[in-house]
Amino acid sequence: MEAPPDNDVLWARALHFQHHDGSPALQGVSLGVREGEILAVSGPRGSGKTTLLRCLSGLVRPQDGEVWFDSVPVHKLGPLRRERLRRDRFGWIDPAPALVPELSVWENTALPLMLRGTGRRRARTCALEWLERLDVGAKARRRPHQLQQAERQRVCIARALAVAPAVLFADEPTAPLHRADRAHVLRTLTTAARSHGITVLLATHDAQTAALADRTVALLDGRRVRTVHLPPVAETTVATGAAGSAGSSGPSGTEGLAACSLSA
């Protein structure tokens, strides 16, 4: 068994996972995430982004491959130990807001803190601070059904950040938000992550969202996609090609080319 690199807080090797119908979701994906890094996992819908986050966070166990968190082999942990790891060290944001309908907004936000053993007063103070940062502090005493969907998603993001997780898994976190709200919420999320040293894995199919990350890993059909940049084409080569095929539209001057390749 290969030991994970010392500078990676989260590390995965050759992950494979199949859906119940037998279709592949991950086909040999490997990656490492450094502590405090914001990593975007990009790709179209169905490319394996959510499955990768679920395997890395211990929500599901990969059918083959390894997942390590701080030298802990997550892929070898039983259900109870994985649940404890998610509760104590990880945070999760779903694309659709999921809140406890019987609890108020601040109680929903404070719930993970209280499950960790934080006192009610301290948990409430922390919850209110994060709700204010995400512009839903005025709704703290309301129930989820009294909020708009975008407001409920802000509450879910505040809930995930309030526990100061070591790693935050965000699966399309701004999907329910209007375009005007996305930039503010993403700035709040990324600024909080950097100031608190939180490692973030952000699954998104939106290029503007991925641009806020320190680094991007692209998936396609369950495999990593690597972009290979070819060297610039010399002007003399272009001129020769143009003379040989009049009217053709080749690359200009020093413009380079790029090609994509799939890798395990």
Side-chain angles (χ1 to χ4, degrees):
M1 181 182 297
E2 182 182 353
D6 292 336
N7 60 340
D8 286 341
V9 66
L10 195 63
W11 183 79
R13 183 182 70 86
L15 296 183
H16 288 263
F17 189 88
Q18 285 188 345
H19 295 300
H20 293 300
D21 62 1
S23 59
L26 296 177
Q27 302 186 71
V29 175
S30 300
L31 59 80
V33 189
R34 295 182 295 273
E35 185 174 2
E37 182 179 28
I38 299 177
L39 176 68
V41 181
S42 68
R45 299 187 188 279
S47 59
K49 303 187 301 295
T50 297
T51 302
L52 177 60
L53 264 61
R54 288 169 63 85
C55 287
L56 293 174
S57 66
L59 275 169
V60 297
R61 180 180 288 174
Q63 286 145 358
D64 196 13
E66 303 173 19
V67 177
W68 294 79
F69 166 71
D70 268 355
S71 301
V72 175
V74 179
H75 58 287
K76 288 191 170 184
L77 299 181
L80 290 178
R81 292 187 64 189
R82 281 189 283 123
E83 182 179 347
R84 191 177 302 117
L85 178 66
R86 293 196 305 271
R87 182 194 67 195
D88 295 341
R89 305 301 304 278
F90 295 162
W92 183 277
I93 304 171
D94 271 315
L99 299 169
V100 181
E102 295 83 5
L103 300 181
S104 68
V105 163
W106 81 259
E107 288 171 332
N108 267 282
T109 309
L111 183 59
L113 282 167
M114 291 189 283
L115 290 175
R116 289 184 178 187
T118 305
R120 182 179 176 87
R121 180 177 296 180
R122 182 180 173 188
R124 182 177 184 274
T125 299
C126 183
L128 292 175
E129 288 176 357
W130 280 107
L131 291 170
E132 287 290 344
R133 291 188 190 187
L134 286 151
D135 293 339
V136 281
K139 311 293 177 71
R141 294 183 177 276
R142 297 190 181 184
R143 298 291 175 87
H145 74 273
Q146 297 175 299
L147 273 59
Q148 297 176 358
Q149 185 183 36
E151 293 172 331
R152 292 196 293 271
Q153 184 69 346
R154 288 173 182 266
V155 175
C156 291
I157 295 172
R159 179 181 61 188
L161 289 168
V163 295
V167 183
L168 176 62
F169 298 90
D171 186 12
E172 300 281 5
T174 59
L177 302 178
H178 298 296
R179 182 168 295 275
D181 295 334
R182 292 178 186 174
H184 168 66
V185 171
L186 285 170
R187 279 197 304 269
T188 302
L189 194 157
T190 54
T191 300
R194 297 187 197 282
S195 63
H196 289 71
I198 300 173
T199 303
V200 178
L201 270 80
L202 176 67
T204 182
H205 66 277
D206 180 60
Q208 292 182 338
T209 300
L212 295 174
D214 300 317
R215 185 164 56 98
T216 300
V217 168
L219 295 184
L220 182 64
D221 295 333
R223 296 179 182 269
R224 285 189 61 173
V225 180
R226 300 185 187 277
T227 302
V228 181
H229 294 281
L230 303 180
V233 180
E235 290 186 11
T236 54
T237 304
V238 175
T240 303
S245 54
S248 64
S249 56
S252 62
T254 58
E255 182 180 0
L257 302 177
C260 292
S261 65
L262 294 175
S263 62

